[in-house]
Amino acid sequence: MTTNPVLPAPADLTPAGTAAGTAATTSTLEPLPAERLARAKKAYTTRFLAAALAVDGSGHQLLHGPEVAPRSGDVVLARVEEIGKHTRLEGPGSRRQTLFVGDEVLVAYGNRYAPDQFEAVVPDDLGPTDLVAAGGVAGRVVAQHAALDDATRLRPLGLLARDGERVTLADHALVAARPVRERGVGPRVVAVLGTSMNSGKSTALACLVRGLSADGLHVNAGKVTGTGAGGDPRLFADAGARRVLDFTDVGHPSTYLLSHARVRTLLSTLVEELAADSPDVVVVEIADGVYQEETARLLADPLFATLVDDVVFAAGDALGAVAGRQALAATSARVRAVSGVLTASPLAHREAARALDLPVVATYDLCDPAVARELLA
């Protein structure tokens, strides 16, 4: 893909915890034996770090004390104090590791946005905190769904450090964030958005990947925003995507409360990286709903329409589908179809079809090469 720079790198392009962000007050640096670090259960969010530790886990310390304030992306060694909502921790290879009180776990601090689970933020100290996502995100719960059990409780033992500097996910990222660029000649880029989490976005994306791949096309897929977990990337790969990347590959445990400059950088970086091996189509998911703060800002940014050609919108009901269609009218990206959870109900499907000037396509019909081909015709 040919690209031309149109904007300088944002001021905060450097991920938190890299050389530009490591200067922080410290209290105590405690040597951390490699054997103890090896025994800790590693989270999916720390998978690239875990691979490096498997080669050489020596030379690390624990940074702790009353003056230490964690940041999103910092890696923390913590002890499980009480089992709550999350009874298992997703490991680097996505195996679910059963948690026991007293386990030491290696997870990453991050914020979380999940209306049907937790809203959580990175705390300003190393006091007791919560496991807010099974993929390995630690944060302090500020709100939760009424039907949900309390979060599994963690006691941070210290931030992971090496040579006196904090270890962050960005230090071991697979893909380096790069300046925002205007997209030149390259593959078709399709974004899948939805009314909210659990509206069927990931399944619709996987089915679209399946249909296009079965039609003989080279398809790459990605997830621009969300909370770190292995389920969706593995789903996209299983559907036939030849290359899959998401925000965790760029060193972020989650994208909630990231600055707009970083979110737009993630979109540009992932689209450019997924286009690098000249696929026919790149399909990316934008997590949560169109009213979620980071998503809303991204859709209002002219950059979105320059990077994305087509949109498939997932909705839970007909009213959500119509509202989403209206919200997306402000962008110049072509909304090609509505799909998602609503299509599981024939009645809801018919209601949406009557109210919309777009095709309403049953999610699993997208697996049909003819349907997928017609959708992007």
Side-chain angles (χ1 to χ4, degrees):
M1 178 177 68
T2 303
T3 57
N4 299 299
V6 294
L7 288 175
D12 66 346
L13 176 62
T14 303
T18 57
T22 52
T25 57
T26 61
S27 182
T28 302
L29 275 173
E30 172 191 341
L32 179 59
E35 297 79 7
R36 182 181 179 189
L37 189 53
R39 288 195 301 269
K41 291 178 176 175
K42 317 298 191 300
Y44 176 82
T45 54
T46 68
R47 64 194 183 280
F48 300 123
L49 168 61
L53 293 176
V55 175
D56 181 11
S58 63
H60 290 84
Q61 304 94 36
L62 285 177
L63 174 64
H64 56 82
E67 297 180 356
V68 178
R71 299 184 293 251
S72 181
D74 284 348
V75 178
V76 59
L77 182 69
R79 179 181 296 117
V80 177
E81 295 279 282
E82 182 179 348
I83 303 296
K85 160 64 179 173
H86 293 108
T87 62
R88 295 186 294 175
L89 180 70
E90 183 180 6
S94 286
R95 187 180 79 81
R96 300 281 176 154
Q97 307 162 95
T98 300
L99 291 174
F100 294 88
V101 171
D103 277 348
E104 291 188 354
V105 296
L106 203 64
V107 296
Y109 276 107
N111 305 300
R112 187 170 192 203
Y113 173 95
D116 66 355
Q117 287 199 24
F118 302 114
E119 180 187 11
V121 298
V122 176
D124 57 8
D125 58 42
L126 290 178
T129 193
D130 304 299
L131 180 63
V132 297
V137 179
R140 188 164 294 162
V141 172
V142 295
Q144 70 183 68
H145 194 282
L148 206 65
D149 291 338
D150 288 344
T152 292
R153 295 290 283 168
L154 302 176
R155 179 171 296 278
L157 304 174
L159 300 182
L160 188 66
R162 185 160 191 168
D163 299 325
E165 301 288 348
R166 301 179 188 213
V167 174
T168 74
L169 298 187
D171 296 334
H172 297 272
L174 181 67
V175 175
R178 60 198 68 173
V180 171
R181 300 176 187 275
E182 183 180 58
R183 185 164 63 99
V185 176
R188 190 85 162 265
V189 178
V190 182
V192 179
L193 296 100
T195 51
S196 64
M197 66 181 302
N198 296 328
S199 58
K201 299 182 296 298
S202 299
T203 305
L205 188 152
C207 288
L208 180 59
V209 167
R210 183 65 176 179
L212 294 172
S213 298
D215 200 33
L217 300 181
H218 174 174
V219 184
N220 290 341
K223 188 166 182 174
V224 177
T225 60
T227 301
D232 288 346
R234 295 181 189 285
L235 171 64
F236 303 161
D238 289 345
R242 297 194 197 178
R243 191 175 186 205
V244 178
L245 294 170
D246 73 1
F247 54 91
T248 66
D249 294 299
V250 194
H252 293 284
S254 70
T255 57
Y256 183 43
L257 300 182
L258 283 185
S259 70
H260 178 55
R262 285 199 183 163
V263 174
R264 73 199 304 269
T265 296
L266 278 172
L267 175 63
S268 176
T269 296
L270 288 171
V271 168
E272 184 176 341
E273 189 70 22
L274 288 167
D277 61 343
S278 301
D280 298 299
V281 183
V282 169
V283 190
V284 294
E285 178 182 345
I286 312 294
D288 305 309
V290 294
Y291 290 154
Q292 197 268 355
E293 190 172 353
E294 286 80 38
T295 302
R297 286 200 299 260
L298 191 60
L299 292 177
D301 191 325
L303 176 72
F304 180 80
T306 69
L307 294 179
V308 173
D309 299 305
D310 307 288
V311 170
V312 174
F313 191 74
D317 56 31
L319 182 60
V322 172
R325 175 72 171 94
Q326 293 170 347
L328 289 167
T331 77
S332 60
R334 297 183 295 260
V335 182
R336 289 291 187 170
V338 166
S339 189
V341 170
L342 75 86
T343 64
S345 163
L347 182 57
H349 190 137
R350 291 200 306 271
E351 288 176 346
R354 284 198 300 267
L356 290 165
D357 60 348
L358 295 169
V360 180
V361 183
T363 300
Y364 288 96
D365 284 354
L366 294 169
C367 295
D368 185 332
V371 173
R373 185 188 321 120
E374 177 65 23
L375 187 67
L376 299 185

